[in-house]
Amino acid sequence: MLDEFAILPFLFAIVAVIVAVKAMNEIGDLRRRLDRMEAAAALARPVPPPLPHMFEQDTAPASPGVAAEPPPIVPVDQWVPPDSWTPAEAAAGTTADTADGPPAAPPPPLPQPDRGFEETLGTRWVVWIGGLTLALGGFFMVRYSIEAGLLGPGVRVLLGGLFALALLAAGEWTRRKESISTIEATPIANIPAILTAAGTAVAFATVYAAYALYGFLVPATAFILLGLVAMGTLAAALLHGPALAGLGIVGAFVTPMLVSSGRPDFWALYVYLAIVTAAAFGLARVRMWRWLAVTTIVFSLLWTLPCLQCGPSMVAPHVFHVIAGFILAALLVVCGFMFGPSAQEGEIEPISSGSLAAYLLGATLIVLNSSHADVAMVAFGLLVAGSLFVAWRTEAAVGAVGAAAGLVFIVFAEWAIRANPDMLVLPGGPIAGIGPSATDGSVSLHLISAAIFAAGFGVAGFLAQGRSASAVIPVIWSATAVFTPLALLVALYARIANLDRSIPFAILAVILAAAYAAATEILTKREDRPGLQASIALFATGALAALALALTFALEKGWLTIALALMSAGTAWISMQRPIPFLRSLAAILAAIVVLRIGYEPRIVGHAVGTTPIFNWLLWGYGIPALSFWAGSIFLRRGGDDAPLRIVESAAILFTVLLAFMEIRHAVNNGDVYRPSAGLAEVALQVCVALAMAIGLERLRLRTGSVVHNAGAILLTVFAGLASVFGLLVLENPMLWSIDVGGAVINLLLLGYALPAVLALLLSYAVAGRRPVEYANTIAAGALILALAYVTFEIRRIYHGPVMAIGPTTGAEQYTYSIAYLAFGVVMLGIGILFNSQRARLASAVVIALTILKAFLIDMSTLTGVYRALSFMCLGLVLVAIGWLYQRILFRRRAAVAPAVPTES
């Protein structure tokens, strides 16, 4: 039984046709009314002034010595009524009867009445919805007939063809009827274009179904019929405008999804898409519709994605799809090449470059999905070669050269990683899907392809110098000439040598460096051209990079980090010789790569780092890059303070800090830098190093004024403060945890508390007067706390031994604390008086105050007998002595320093 919902498309189509016919009748009535109004207005016009006789002279007197010019002769058949003259014509045709005053201004045009909702609905929306409904009605009827088995295949195809012809005939009839009228059409929807678009979309679906679903047509016949429909669409769009082009192209690309079968035939699909693409590109070229070319490219690329799920066994039709699209884009879309639009000299046209790059991306996806099958690799190589050839002939497509270079590297990098899955092994295990496959492309084919790619990009990039008047185009060529061979060399090295030592690859890198050096020398001797200096700098950088790779290939794995760091410094040095902004950015990019490299493996060489303190791979892997980045920052600073300089300066500080911290962790933990916990010795050393580096950066920032040095000093100071509070005083406090601090005097207490206190005091003096007072005083307070902690812990060590957390506190120990605090306060006071340091005197006051609090809160309750009496006696004597010192020495010295007041004689 027929489903009641199956007739809905037909109902929509019938309603749309009725509404469209009604709208056409209303348009005809409106035109007839306008004709009558125009005739009435012509009868009511005033009689134009009489034309001057061609022989009649002007009555205005002529200037002396200047002959009067006769008035212009106006043929009768070219005369224009005065009420339709332009202002210039009206001024020129002013008659004598208006000479006494200015000519009358033309009346303002009558305002156009606003189009109401009913008119908009009846003349625009209904027509568009009707055209879309007609097309969808045809598509869904074909689909429903397939699913329900209502009609035979032949009848389905016949009805689809008749419906398409009916729509096309209706579109042509309405177009001719509109063209009969001589008045200007009102702004309504283009009914002929919509009907014709629906007809062409149904025609596409019908022919495709007859070939792919039912086998009524052999491939040759289907190809001819689809070509005829495509050419008919092209011809119709030339008459009906972009509405037909947009709907027709969308319908053509969506047709394979609406009318489908359970047995997909990719060859039939891609032949169909090739014909549609050709028609769309041809139409876009004739009418210069950029949007149509872009839309076609996007749809064509999207049709590559779902078909990739079929596996590597169906490579040939996918290859045909991208090759056909690439050729069509080169012939019809690329400006300045073959049948494409004209191109402007020295300008890269985005659509020209993007069209080639899109099909290159499709070829790349096919190569990766097919596990580098030979057919896919050959097709990819042909498209890369085609991109170079097209870009060589027209500068509009040079942007595709950069895209081709990047995609070549992606293909070979994925091939290298696929054969070496250990490069992507993470702590949770290997990534699913990686590893070599039995269908991987042959090594020999990849070696040959890599050699051809390297030679092609390198030679073309060198020969392209001096051919363009633009500065950007030769730089793109030179950048690809430098990048592609280096990237391919690294990928092959990773695949074949598995990142181990390889003298043959080192020799290849040296040869490549020599080639870049020769290119640099040759270009240096040429006459200056746009972009030449940048290209020279790029080839020089390539020579330096190749030498760094040679060093990496000939030595151990960790040298790659060192080589990249040296390359960054070398690039910065070249930027001084050739002030090209790109080189500064390149130095920063290389520094960032090195930072990411150590994030992947902080030990640089893995377990091969060894257990030898200081002199191990950490020293070379962090020390040499740190020196390289410091040198690079010096070179870059001569060119100004910018983002690349700050990146390199940040890398220099980071590697310096990491060098110290990693060496400390390596030495303390017997080579195990991944130990989950830290001890008192490690935290103490890190605090000392952070404070020392902060002092150095405080001095350095005064000379450079660098925001990076300023921020680095603050961050190191904050780190040292947090590590002191939470590490030294809480987590690694020997009075709270059972920690063996060592000997009586030379022990961990000296390293963990005394030395950080001295460094913090020096840092407070380094920032005094150069940063806010609160900042310096906070650091000085931290130094005082660490010094008191050292005094306390050292006394505890004397009474309790190396493990200080065990045993009770005796009265003698409490009395020793009080005496030590008093002595410490007196020493601080003496230093403050001797060096006239108010900060030292304030510190003394704080210590004495703490001692007083201890005497009344702790000693009074815990001490007994002689210790309590001695504690308060000593405290009282010290306080009296302090008062005497302030009265007799400090104030007297101030009075002596004060200027004498003159007295009257």
Side-chain angles (χ1 to χ4, degrees):
M1 182 177 179
L2 183 64
D3 192 350
E4 59 270 19
F5 292 104
I7 63 174
L8 288 179
F10 279 116
L11 294 178
F12 288 146
I14 294 171
V15 171
V17 171
I18 294 174
V19 173
V21 172
K22 183 179 179 181
M24 291 295 299
N25 294 333
E26 293 178 354
I27 292 171
D29 294 339
L30 180 60
R31 286 176 174 168
R32 286 190 292 272
R33 293 175 60 189
L34 289 177
D35 289 340
R36 290 194 296 269
M37 293 172 60
E38 185 180 5
L43 294 176
R45 285 176 182 170
V47 179
L51 291 175
H53 196 271
M54 64 179 61
F55 297 106
E56 184 178 354
Q57 299 293 329
D58 193 357
T59 58
S63 301
V66 178
E69 296 182 359
I73 301 175
V74 181
V76 176
D77 58 349
Q78 296 182 7
W79 180 80
V80 181
D83 58 349
S84 61
W85 288 356
T86 63
E89 294 169 344
T94 303
T95 56
D97 56 349
T98 61
D100 296 336
L110 296 176
Q112 296 293 332
D114 295 335
R115 189 164 48 247
F117 174 76
E118 182 180 3
E119 182 180 356
T120 303
L121 179 65
T123 60
R124 287 180 175 268
W125 296 355
V126 172
V127 179
W128 287 101
I129 297 173
L132 180 62
T133 306
L134 288 174
L136 292 178
F139 293 152
F140 289 134
M141 181 52 61
V142 173
R143 187 181 183 90
Y144 179 79
S145 65
I146 294 174
E147 294 174 352
L150 300 177
L151 302 172
V155 178
R156 301 173 196 167
V157 174
L158 179 60
L159 291 178
L162 293 176
F163 186 56
L165 292 176
L167 290 175
L168 293 174
E172 181 61 19
W173 178 77
T174 53
R175 184 188 69 84
R176 293 188 178 185
K177 186 175 181 181
E178 282 190 354
S179 64
I180 296 174
S181 176
T182 57
I183 65 172
E184 183 180 359
T186 56
I188 60 174
N190 195 341
I191 296 176
I194 294 174
L195 294 175
T196 307
T200 55
V202 174
F204 272 119
T206 303
V207 177
Y208 178 73
Y211 165 64
L213 299 180
Y214 312 119
F216 292 158
L217 304 175
V218 296
T221 305
F223 182 85
I224 294 174
L225 291 179
L226 289 173
L228 291 176
V229 174
M231 295 303 104
T233 305
L234 173 63
L238 290 174
L239 296 174
H240 293 279
L244 173 62
L247 292 178
I249 292 304
V250 172
F253 276 104
V254 174
T255 294
M257 291 191 300
L258 297 177
V259 184
S260 58
S261 67
R263 303 186 311 273
D265 188 346
F266 289 107
W267 279 110
L269 171 64
Y270 286 137
V271 168
Y272 165 77
L273 292 179
I275 297 174
V276 171
T277 303
F281 283 164
L283 177 60
R285 170 64 185 92
V286 173
R287 298 299 296 267
M288 299 300 293
W289 288 338
R290 296 163 59 93
W291 63 269
L292 181 58
V294 174
T295 304
T296 305
I297 294 169
V298 171
F299 275 118
S300 182
L301 182 62
L302 289 177
W303 263 113
T304 306
L305 302 179
C307 302
L308 294 176
Q309 304 300 323
C310 299
S313 59
M314 293 293 294
V315 177
H318 305 329
V319 167
F320 165 77
H321 174 57
V322 294
I323 290 180
F326 183 91
I327 294 175
L328 291 172
L331 292 176
L332 300 173
V333 177
V334 177
C335 298
F337 183 78
M338 298 298 289
F339 307 109
S342 59
Q344 296 184 4
E345 183 180 358
E347 183 175 336
I348 299 177
E349 205 277 318
I351 297 180
S352 300
S353 300
S355 61
L356 302 183
Y359 289 105
L360 277 172
L361 176 61
T364 303
L365 296 177
I366 294 173
V367 170
L368 301 181
N369 184 75
S370 64
S371 299
H372 296 253
D374 292 348
V375 176
M377 280 297 299
V378 171
F380 178 73
L382 292 176
L383 293 191
V384 172
S387 300
L388 294 178
F389 174 74
V390 174
W392 185 267
R393 297 294 301 273
T394 174
E395 295 176 343
V398 171
V401 177
L407 294 175
V408 165
F409 172 69
I410 290 175
V411 167
F412 279 85
E414 194 271 345
W415 179 67
I417 294 174
R418 182 183 292 273
N420 298 283
D422 56 315
M423 298 185 206
L424 293 181
V425 173
L426 301 177
I431 297 177
I434 68 172
S437 173
T439 59
D440 279 357
S442 61
V443 176
S444 59
L445 177 62
H446 282 74
L447 288 176
I448 296 173
S449 301
I452 294 175
F453 287 146
F457 279 97
V459 174
F462 174 75
L463 296 179
Q465 304 305 312
R467 296 181 70 245
S468 176
S470 172
V472 177
I473 292 176
V475 171
I476 294 178
W477 280 106
S478 59
T480 56
V482 172
F483 167 78
T484 308
L486 290 174
L488 291 174
L489 186 62
V490 172
L492 293 177
Y493 166 72
R495 169 67 188 246
I496 298 174
N498 196 20
L499 300 180
D500 289 329
R501 293 181 60 192
S502 176
I503 300 301
F505 275 101
I507 295 174
L508 289 176
V510 172
I511 295 174
L512 189 59
Y516 286 143
T520 303
E521 184 66 19
I522 295 173
L523 293 178
T524 305
K525 298 179 180 179
R526 288 186 179 181
E527 182 182 357
D528 192 16
R529 295 273 298 175
L532 181 61
Q533 297 301 319
S535 298
I536 292 173
L538 286 171
F539 279 107
T541 305
L544 184 63
L547 290 177
L549 288 178
L551 182 65
T552 302
F553 298 158
L555 301 173
E556 299 294 337
K557 295 180 181 179
W559 287 100
L560 177 60
T561 303
I562 298 175
L564 291 175
L566 292 175
M567 182 178 169
S568 176
T571 305
W573 179 80
I574 295 174
S575 68
M576 289 195 311
Q577 312 302 320
R578 305 287 183 181
I580 305 301
F582 170 73
L583 293 179
R584 300 175 64 86
S585 301
L586 179 60
I589 292 172
L590 293 172
I593 293 175
V594 177
V595 173
L596 295 177
R597 166 67 178 86
I598 63 169
Y600 171 75
E601 176 52 86
R603 297 174 299 178
I604 307 296
V605 291
H607 296 287
V609 67
T611 58
T612 303
I614 307 300
F615 297 100
N616 49 56
W617 248 104
L618 296 175
L619 180 61
W620 322 122
Y622 285 93
I624 296 178
L627 292 175
S628 175
F629 294 145
W630 282 113
S633 65
I634 294 174
F635 297 148
L636 293 178
R637 179 161 293 279
R638 299 179 183 180
D641 189 355
D642 55 2
L645 170 64
R646 296 174 183 177
I647 293 175
V648 176
E649 286 181 340
S650 301
I653 295 175
L654 177 63
F655 269 78
T656 304
V657 173
L658 290 179
L659 170 63
F661 285 5
M662 293 294 289
E663 285 285 11
I664 291 171
R665 188 160 183 79
H666 178 274
V668 172
N669 299 303
N670 195 26
D672 184 11
V673 298
Y674 289 153
R675 184 177 179 180
S677 61
L680 176 60
E682 181 179 349
V683 176
L685 288 172
Q686 290 179 349
V687 170
C688 292
V689 168
L691 290 172
M693 291 184 179
I695 295 173
L697 287 177
E698 289 289 350
R699 299 296 185 185
L700 182 60
R701 76 178 184 89
L702 297 178
R703 298 178 54 187
T704 62
S706 171
V707 295
V708 175
H709 296 161
N710 178 62
I714 295 176
L715 291 176
L716 286 173
T717 303
V718 172
F719 170 80
L722 294 176
S724 299
V725 173
F726 296 101
L728 297 178
L729 300 179
V730 179
L731 298 178
E732 302 298 335
N733 191 327
M735 290 185 64
L736 301 178
W737 315 102
S738 298
I739 299 174
D740 190 346
V741 298
V745 179
I746 307 300
N747 50 35
L748 289 179
L749 300 176
L750 187 67
L751 177 65
Y753 300 94
L755 185 57
V758 174
L759 291 172
L761 182 62
L762 294 177
L763 179 59
S764 68
Y765 279 101
V767 301
R770 299 177 178 89
R771 290 193 184 274
V773 177
E774 296 80 4
Y775 187 83
N777 290 340
T778 302
I779 299 174
L784 180 61
I785 293 173
L786 290 173
L788 287 175
Y790 172 71
V791 172
T792 304
F793 294 159
E794 190 63 38
I795 295 173
R796 184 82 174 176
R797 166 65 183 81
I798 294 173
Y799 280 93
H800 293 266
V803 182
M804 300 156 44
I806 300 175
T809 303
T810 63
E813 182 180 348
Q814 286 288 1
Y815 176 72
T816 306
Y817 288 142
S818 300
I819 295 298
Y821 293 163
L822 282 175
F824 185 78
V826 171
V827 170
M828 293 297 297
L829 179 60
I831 294 174
I833 294 175
L834 181 63
F835 295 98
N836 194 23
S837 173
Q838 184 182 15
R839 184 178 298 169
R841 294 194 301 270
L842 291 175
S844 172
V846 171
V847 174
I848 297 301
L850 291 175
T851 306
I852 294 172
L853 290 176
K854 179 181 181 300
F856 284 95
L857 297 178
I858 299 177
D859 293 354
M860 185 177 293
S861 60
T862 59
L863 296 180
T864 59
V866 67
Y867 289 115
R868 178 188 296 178
L870 290 176
S871 174
F872 279 87
M873 290 171 60
C874 292
L875 178 59
L877 291 175
V878 169
L879 292 177
V880 173
I882 291 173
W884 182 83
L885 287 173
Y886 268 86
Q887 294 176 7
R888 299 294 181 179
I889 298 177
L890 183 61
F891 289 139
R892 178 176 296 179
R893 176 175 297 179
R894 289 183 177 178
V897 173
V901 178
T903 58
E904 296 181 0
S905 56

